[in-house]
Amino acid sequence: MRNPDTTRALWQIHFCVLLWGFTAILGKLITLPALPLVWWRMLLVTVALALLPRVWRGLAALSTRTRLAYAGIGMLVALHWLTFYGAIKLSNASVAATCMAFATPMTALIEPLLTRQRFRPGDLALGLLSLPGIWLVVGGVPAGMHIGILVGVVSAFFVATFGSLNKRLVDAGDPLTVTALELGTGTLLLTLLAPLMPALVPAFAGSLLTLPSLSDALWLLLLALACTLLPYALYLVALRHLSAFTAQLSVNLEPIYAIVLAALLFDEQQELHARFYLGVAIILAVVFAQGILASRRKPGPADEHVELLGISESKQLVE
């Protein structure tokens, strides 16, 4: 008989994943370009966390070297969100969410390089098995969305990279402090990039000085508080009763939730062909196969592949 705490934790995890699925939907609803959208999201969460005394105590306890390391990771987080919402603007919510499924196979390749783990040929084989799915996804969307797929894959690469780097520092700081430091640094990076963005990536550019419209402001508050801070807090509680593997399998459902929501709210299935959905099925099958193989390995902190999306990159600290 399943423990009631475990059952409650599973419901909490799936609720969190559903909220994360809404991030792609909100990215579609918010009319701001990618740069100001991400800047406001990171700024709002950073300000909210800065109101907590616990965050400042945790920051004071970190060494300068550790602060700089987390600051560097925060820049990668900012670039991930920038390219993720850029992919939404250049394609649609379903395509951008699907691209995030590439993060897990990428992590299998990047993590051994960054954390000095043993390379596993089976993980590389699974990554290669996802290539037919990628080909079908690309062929299942209009040609005008192909640049959105490319940007989405770049975003998945940033997820795999900052997730692997965070694993090296998993015991170095309080999760809320780490989140505030990383997102605060990411906000600063985007502020510095704003004047250069029209020349670097015009499609992402937008003024940070222009206040959002009332509707955009409401969506941004929902994105920052309901789809970032709330699921993060719930995830921390739920992970006390679940393994990292179980939690990760649930997180892998996020693209499915996002695609279903996009179909219901935006009728996006009219823009996509059957090949797209077949490709999504193959990619997700590879992701779940990797999770099943990982669960059969000898357990250990160095063997856990964790896809760390949004600000949930520090969630392993409570395990």
Side-chain angles (χ1 to χ4, degrees), residues 118-126:
R118 180 170 60 88
F119 177 74
R120 299 182 184 277
D123 289 339
L124 176 59
L126 284 172

Side-chain angles (χ1 to χ4, degrees), residues 49 52 54-55 174-181 229 232 236 314 317:
L49 290 173
L52 302 177
R54 167 184 171 179
V55 169
D174 169 73
L176 292 180
T177 300
V178 170
T179 299
L181 178 57
L229 281 180
Y232 173 69
L236 288 176
S314 303
L317 289 169

Side-chain angles (χ1 to χ4, degrees), residues 201-238:
V201 190
F204 295 176
S207 174
L208 302 183
L209 300 178
T210 303
L211 291 177
S213 65
L214 178 59
S215 60
D216 277 349
L218 294 176
W219 292 131
L220 281 167
L221 284 173
L222 187 64
L223 177 64
L225 302 179
C227 296
T228 304
L229 281 180
L230 175 59
Y232 173 69
L234 285 177
Y235 217 122
L236 288 176
V237 174

